[in-house]
């Protein structure tokens, strides 16, 4: 089993920045790919950014150029640097991990590819 714990959420003004972190513990050697997903009120959970075991990344079109995902395998952490935040970025952000090898192009395809999820952290962006 793998446990994931997010931190770093909060409130920001439009145009501001926040950095999310996710700490993994447990059977960390079983983790292949990781990603960030988000869910806004009344909407389905959607992929934001993903990274495979070789460091290849994939981003949702809505965050390209603004968000950066990174992974530190030595520290068992996943991060999401969010810049130029917009009110539409407001959501609960979830860290996810998968045991399977996922092609970079499919990292955000479906939540069903991920085995483990964190509890989520709220991000609120005001205009």
């Amino acid at each position: 089993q793998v446990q994931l714990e997010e931190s770093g959420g909060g409130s920001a003004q439009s145009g501001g920045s926040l950095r999310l972190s996710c700490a993994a513990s447990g059977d960390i050697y079983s983790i292949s790919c990781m990603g960030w997903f988000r869910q806004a009120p009344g909407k389905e959970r959607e992929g934001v950014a993903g990274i495979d075991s070789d460091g290849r990344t994939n981003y949702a079109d809505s965050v390209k150029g603004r968000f950066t995902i990174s992974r530190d395998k030595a520290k068992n952490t996943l991060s999401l640097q969010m810049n130029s935040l917009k009110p539409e970025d407001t959501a609960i952000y979830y860290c996810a991990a998968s045991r399977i090898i996922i092609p970079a192009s499919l990292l955000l395809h479906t939540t069903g590819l991920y085995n483990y999820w964190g509890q989520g952290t709220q991000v609120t962006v005001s205009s």
Side-chain angles (χ1 to χ4, degrees):
Q1 288 292 321
V2 172
Q3 294 77 45
L4 303 174
E5 184 173 0
E6 303 97 339
S7 61
S11 299
Q13 297 275 347
S14 182
S17 298
L18 285 172
R19 185 176 180 87
L20 304 183
S21 294
C22 173
S25 60
D27 189 16
I28 57 173
Y29 297 105
S30 70
I31 297 175
S32 175
C33 305
M34 299 188 76
W36 289 98
F37 290 74
R38 68 186 181 188
Q39 188 165 16
K43 294 188 177 181
E44 291 187 356
R45 193 170 297 189
E46 63 175 0
V48 175
I51 186 166
D52 70 11
S53 58
D54 292 325
R56 287 181 289 262
T57 59
N58 194 357
Y59 295 91
D61 288 342
S62 59
V63 307
K64 280 180 182 176
R66 300 189 298 121
F67 291 10
T68 302
I69 188 171
S70 59
R71 181 177 178 182
D72 188 332
K73 289 187 174 181
K75 296 182 178 180
N76 304 318
T77 58
L78 181 73
S79 298
L80 185 68
Q81 178 66 43
M82 305 185 294
N83 298 329
S84 302
L85 284 163
K86 302 176 181 180
E88 50 263 45
D89 294 320
T90 295
I92 298 175
Y93 283 70
Y94 297 91
C95 173
S98 175
R99 294 194 302 262
I100 66 173
I101 297 173
I102 306 172
S105 60
L106 296 179
L107 285 168
L108 308 181
H109 181 64
T110 174
T111 58
L113 294 177
Y114 291 84
N115 308 99
Y116 307 105
W117 293 84
Q119 293 293 319
T121 185
Q122 177 70 47
V123 170
T124 302
V125 183
S126 57
S127 57

